[in-house]
């Protein structure tokens, strides 16, 4: 079963905007922090990585969700933040929105992400953006 939120994040003036994407050989993410009163903050965080050969055995959906997990677990000090994660993958969008997946491998990642969300006392929302829009 999916994890249910037991704590509510207070209405915050702090937002995080994140993008992540994976390719056949690599992965990466970008975070931008925003104060709703003053606009974007002068902090932009970027990370990237290369998949090990073992990862190529996993589905593209697993790699997309693993990218979100890796991005999200890099965040600290985000209590009270609402974080919007933009993805071009409908499966990632759906499993984060619902909090569960029928795939055991994806469910492990969903649980890790949702647990981090609860422990960090922040709110993660996935936003689907068509792939052609992500490229623009």
């Amino acid at each position: 079963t999916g994890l249910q939120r037991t704590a509510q994040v207070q209405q915050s003036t702090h937002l995080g905007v994140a993008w992540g994407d994976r390719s056949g050989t690599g992965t990466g993410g970008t975070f931008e922090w925003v104060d709703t009163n003053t606009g974007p903050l002068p902090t932009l965080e970027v990370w990237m990585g290369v998949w090990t050969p073992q990862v190529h055995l996993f589905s593209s959906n697993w790699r997309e969700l693993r990218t979100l997990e890796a991005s999200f677990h890099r965040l600290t000090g985000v209590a009270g933040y609402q974080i919007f994660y933009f993805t071009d993958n409908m499966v990632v969008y759906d499993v984060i929105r619902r909090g569960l997946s029928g795939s055991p491998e994806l469910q492990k990642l969903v649980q890790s992400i949702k647990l981090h969300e609860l422990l960090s006392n922040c709110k993660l929302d996935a936003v689907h953006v068509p792939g052609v829009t992500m490229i623009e």
Side-chain angles (χ1 to χ4, degrees):
T1 64
L3 295 174
Q4 297 296 317
R5 282 192 73 76
T6 58
Q8 293 296 319
V9 175
Q10 297 294 324
Q11 183 66 25
S12 175
T13 61
H14 293 87
L15 299 175
V17 180
W19 298 267
D21 205 7
R22 63 95 203 148
S23 69
T25 59
T27 184
T30 304
F31 295 99
E32 180 178 10
W33 303 106
V34 178
D35 183 309
T36 57
N37 294 321
T38 60
L41 300 173
T43 303
L44 184 67
E45 299 175 40
V46 180
W47 74 275
M48 62 181 217
V50 177
W51 296 119
T52 61
Q54 301 90 314
V55 172
H56 296 288
L57 302 173
F58 290 92
S59 70
S60 62
N61 291 329
W62 184 91
R63 286 178 290 189
E64 287 278 359
L65 192 57
R66 178 66 181 95
T67 296
L68 189 160
E69 182 194 39
S71 296
F72 195 44
H73 280 259
R74 292 176 180 280
L75 302 180
T76 59
V78 293
Y81 275 72
Q82 181 164 10
I83 300 167
F84 293 98
Y85 185 84
F86 292 87
T87 178
D88 61 357
N89 185 288
M90 280 297 294
V91 171
V92 168
Y93 162 76
D94 189 54
V95 299
I96 293 303
R97 183 183 58 81
R98 292 185 305 126
L100 60 100
S101 171
S103 161
E105 292 302 319
L106 294 183
Q107 185 60 30
K108 290 177 191 174
L109 294 173
V110 170
Q111 287 176 331
S112 171
I113 292 164
K114 292 298 183 179
L115 180 60
H116 187 69
E117 181 181 18
L118 286 170
L119 295 174
S120 298
N121 192 32
C122 65
K123 174 77 171 97
L124 174 66
D125 288 308
V127 178
H128 181 257
V129 180
V132 293
T133 304
M134 291 278 282
I135 295 169
E136 294 173 357

